[in-house]
Amino acid sequence: MTRPQDHLTREADGTGGPDPLPPPPGGVLWTLVGDVRGLLMLPAALTLQVAHPAVGAGVDEHSVFRTDPWGRGERSLRSLQLWVYGGDAAAEEGRRLRRLHRDIRGTDSRGRRYHALTPEYYAWVHATGFPVHHHAIRYLYRPFTEAQERRLYEEWLRVGRVLGIRDRDMPGTVEEFWPYYRKVLADELEATAVVRELLATDRRLPPPALGPLPLRLLLRPCWPLILPRFLRLRRFLTVGLMPPDAREAIGLRWTAEQERRLRCFGRAVRIVVPLLPERLRYLPQARQARRRARAEGRLPTGRAR
């Protein structure tokens, strides 16, 4: 019997043609993904992913997010940067991820069998990045034009091909995306166990195990005081930067006062981040890729917004 993930794996492993190309230098994602503001959007996208029962069950049963939260986050971020800035390495990273997910299977909270590479589940994990970016940009960046939003979606489809998602498993246009998205919200999403855990403000979380040693040594004794504030801030940004219809589908409360606070926060971010030098504004992989692209004349020298 042929399994759905077998089709995805065969078509996406590069045996049928050249490797798919990542988004081009100077594109929308080259500005968004490596910018430090992108870090603020990731928790909302992750929470939206695991609100799908099949995805939530896979993370609950197979991920190390509980035992190695900082390492898991760092590896995910490094992988995400490769999808956009990795050049020839992007497609290989897509293949590595598919190999990593081949044995992830089980039963979700609704009693349905799942496999991580089942096209509808695999595509949903990727699809969540677009509505989160579409919503969060309004707070953290200057508003996008309609043309920029279309380009963002087109580039997100390119990243999907890098990950091995077939064109027929993702809506081909923005107009087709929103009905698909709303159907998943209505039919599938719920406050899974992993959603509740990610949003908890009383969970145990060890001090960061990554970063400069002096900073880690400084954080360690202060962590009991920092952790509750960190968890409250993370929940605030996760719920606030999630699209309102997704919040409603999952059953997350959001007040007018919280909305005012998020708008004030976003205003400060929009002012401060564009003033930062590139070494502080962009993550290391993005900085290196931007430097190479400028040297090769593939990236404009003007300041990104």
Side-chain angles (χ1 to χ4, degrees):
M1 180 177 178
T2 302
R3 299 165 300 175
Q5 62 270 19
D6 293 333
H7 294 296
L8 184 148
T9 302
R10 283 201 303 272
E11 292 181 17
D13 275 345
T15 56
D19 285 341
L21 296 175
V28 176
L29 286 178
W30 266 61
T31 297
L32 293 177
V33 171
D35 190 300
V36 293
R37 286 173 283 188
L39 297 174
L40 301 176
M41 305 182 204
L42 292 179
L46 174 59
T47 303
L48 193 52
Q49 291 168 13
V50 299
H52 190 295
V55 180
V59 171
D60 190 17
E61 297 169 7
H62 298 276
S63 175
V64 297
F65 82 99
R66 295 185 183 96
T67 56
D68 184 23
W70 300 106
R72 178 69 181 85
E74 191 271 340
R75 290 189 294 274
S76 295
L77 182 60
R78 187 169 63 240
S79 181
L80 171 60
Q81 299 289 295
L82 278 173
W83 307 346
V84 175
Y85 301 107
D88 293 340
E92 177 53 38
E93 176 63 9
R95 288 189 284 269
R96 185 191 72 83
L97 288 174
R98 294 192 295 278
R99 291 193 298 269
L100 186 67
H101 287 83
R102 278 177 178 165
D103 295 327
I104 297 178
R105 65 186 73 216
T107 304
D108 70 15
S109 61
R110 300 183 184 181
R112 302 174 300 189
R113 300 291 296 172
Y114 72 84
H115 187 287
L117 293 180
T118 298
E120 65 180 288
Y121 305 151
Y122 194 60
W124 173 251
V125 170
H126 178 60
T128 56
F130 176 70
V132 168
H133 276 85
H134 182 270
H135 176 66
I137 281 167
R138 303 175 187 181
Y139 297 91
L140 304 176
Y141 294 80
R142 293 205 307 265
F144 270 25
T145 65
E146 182 177 340
Q148 286 172 318
E149 290 184 357
R150 287 182 178 279
R151 187 172 182 184
L152 172 60
Y153 188 71
E154 291 167 2
E155 292 184 14
W156 205 247
L157 289 178
R158 290 184 68 160
V159 172
R161 296 183 191 113
V162 167
L163 296 177
I165 296 171
R166 304 169 300 187
D167 284 350
R168 65 176 175 268
D169 294 322
M170 279 283 291
T173 66
V174 173
E175 289 80 7
E176 293 169 339
F177 175 81
W178 294 116
Y180 152 79
Y181 165 74
R182 287 191 289 268
K183 187 176 190 307
V184 176
L185 296 189
D187 295 349
E188 295 287 352
L189 295 203
E190 61 184 47
T192 63
V194 180
V195 167
R196 295 193 298 272
E197 190 165 345
L198 291 176
L199 294 175
T201 57
D202 59 353
R203 63 176 293 200
R204 293 182 179 180
L205 191 68
L210 304 169
L213 179 60
L215 178 60
R216 284 184 278 143
L217 293 176
L218 179 64
L219 281 175
R220 195 169 297 163
C222 304
W223 192 242
L225 296 175
I226 295 173
L227 178 58
R229 293 169 175 81
F230 170 77
L231 292 175
R232 288 196 294 269
L233 176 62
R234 187 175 68 173
R235 179 185 173 94
F236 172 72
L237 292 175
T238 299
V239 179
L241 295 180
M242 186 180 294
D245 50 0
R247 281 187 222 132
E248 183 178 353
I250 302 172
L252 301 177
R253 183 172 176 268
W254 185 251
T255 68
E257 174 58 28
Q258 287 173 313
E259 179 67 19
R260 284 192 292 270
R261 287 166 49 204
L262 181 61
R263 289 181 182 277
C264 290
F265 175 84
R267 192 176 305 118
V269 168
R270 288 197 307 272
I271 293 171
V272 171
V273 172
L275 299 177
L276 296 175
E278 187 166 282
R279 69 180 183 277
L280 297 178
R281 177 174 174 178
Y282 285 96
L283 300 173
Q285 286 168 278
R287 288 201 309 271
Q288 294 166 12
R290 292 173 66 84
R291 193 179 302 121
R292 286 195 302 269
R294 275 198 299 269
E296 296 166 1
R298 296 184 298 125
L299 186 68
T301 57
R303 191 177 183 85
R305 64 183 192 166

